[in-house]
Amino acid sequence: MTDEIKNDDDRKLFVGGLPQEAKDTDIKEYFSTFGEIENINLKTDPNTGRSRGFAFVVFENADSLTAATKQDAHVVKGKKVTCKKAETKQGKIYVGKLPAEGVTDEDIQKHFATYGAIAEVVRPIDKTKNDEPKNFCFITFEREETARTLVKEGQTSINGHEVAIKKVTPKENNRGGFGGGRGGFGGRGRGFGGAGWGYPDPYAGGYGGYGGGYGGGYGGGYGDPYAGGYGGGWGGQQQFGEGGAGGKMRGGPRGRGRGRGAAPY
């Protein structure tokens, strides 16, 4: 099935330092000199509509990307811009309605590997039921396009069992802190370091897990895509958080975190 999925990672160019007045047409006019362009994604501020100064250009052919990156200087609307091959993004999907029997972790891995390279498969367990696997899992693919294609399909069959597929995306523009959730397969989340980025459990809203932040500076966090709220707060030397995944976390520089979490559905 891998051949059926058309990846654009090998054809995508990142263009930074664009002038505010540069439009899609200006970008296309310049970069089309390197080859046919499939699409251009000029990033803009959702509130003002103003350009954020960068864009992604997807060429029809990978050779066009190679030609563009080999050239040192690029000028759009009279301003020198920076160009490089866009980094490959991973993609994550939620797989639900897994049967209690008849589909093993190995079956899941083998089935979805036919779509593309897999980075990780996480299937939570229920500690209240002798560590029985829950009826869902999360799969991270090496390429975002693989996950996007599966989400469009919406479902697939493993050993004769129909399973559901949903998109998993991080919350954007969220303030974060240190913390994690409590739940079936998790436990308390912990964070170490100075004030920095914090991530509530990325795997389960209401099912708990872990979270932590590393680095300096005030940062943001990602809540669970199926849970309400977000991670937020300020970290100090060490902080402990306790709350539902995707819940709103606040804590003092050295204090205990307090959180509110929403059920995943």
Side-chain angles (χ1 to χ4, degrees):
M1 296 182 187
T2 305
D3 295 337
E4 299 176 7
I5 300 176
K6 186 179 181 181
N7 295 305
D8 59 20
D9 295 321
D10 297 327
R11 300 176 288 116
K12 183 183 291 185
L13 178 74
F14 168 82
V15 183
L18 287 165
Q20 277 290 322
E21 64 272 18
K23 307 296 182 185
D24 289 9
T25 51
D26 301 314
I27 300 171
K28 183 175 182 179
E29 180 181 357
Y30 174 74
F31 286 101
S32 60
T33 60
F34 296 99
E36 291 293 323
I37 293 176
E38 181 178 301
N39 68 71
I40 295 173
N41 185 3
L42 175 62
K43 297 299 183 179
T44 58
D45 186 295
N47 297 318
T48 65
R50 288 170 58 85
S51 170
R52 294 169 62 187
F54 68 97
F56 293 95
V57 177
V58 179
F59 291 99
E60 291 283 355
N61 194 295
D63 292 338
S64 301
L65 172 65
T66 302
T69 53
K70 279 185 177 180
Q71 184 169 312
D72 294 329
H74 298 277
V75 179
V76 175
K77 294 285 287 185
K79 182 181 179 182
K80 185 176 180 180
V81 298
T82 58
C83 298
K84 66 178 182 179
K85 183 180 182 296
E87 295 181 2
T88 300
K89 291 178 60 179
Q90 292 184 331
K92 180 186 286 187
I93 62 172
Y94 164 92
V95 180
K97 297 183 179 179
L98 291 170
E101 297 180 352
V103 176
T104 65
D105 292 352
E106 290 73 20
D107 293 331
I108 296 171
Q109 176 91 23
K110 182 178 179 181
H111 177 81
F112 284 100
T114 62
Y115 290 89
I118 294 176
E120 181 183 48
V121 176
V122 176
R123 188 174 185 182
I125 58 175
D126 190 338
K127 288 191 174 297
T128 65
K129 297 181 179 180
N130 297 320
D131 290 350
E132 289 183 9
K134 291 181 178 290
N135 66 342
F136 66 91
C137 71
F138 295 89
I139 301 175
T140 302
F141 290 95
E142 292 291 353
R143 292 178 180 268
E144 185 181 35
E145 190 65 26
T146 308
R148 188 181 300 130
T149 299
L150 282 163
V151 169
K152 287 181 180 179
E153 293 184 6
Q155 62 181 23
T156 188
S157 179
I158 305 177
N159 295 345
H161 298 277
E162 290 292 329
V163 297
I165 300 173
K166 294 182 180 180
K167 182 180 181 181
V168 176
T169 55
K171 294 286 186 181
E172 294 184 359
N173 301 321
N174 287 336
R175 295 169 61 191
F178 300 91
R182 298 180 65 179
F185 69 103
R188 291 193 178 187
R190 303 180 58 153
F192 301 91
W197 290 83
Y199 300 85
D201 182 5
Y203 299 123
Y207 293 102
Y210 55 86
Y214 304 87
Y218 292 102
Y222 298 99
D224 185 272
Y226 300 107
Y230 57 87
W234 298 267
Q237 293 300 316
Q238 184 177 45
Q239 177 174 316
F240 301 89
E242 185 175 20
K248 191 173 182 180
M249 302 296 301
R250 279 204 176 95
R254 296 174 183 274
R256 298 177 66 87
R258 292 178 292 108
R260 291 182 290 118
Y265 297 102

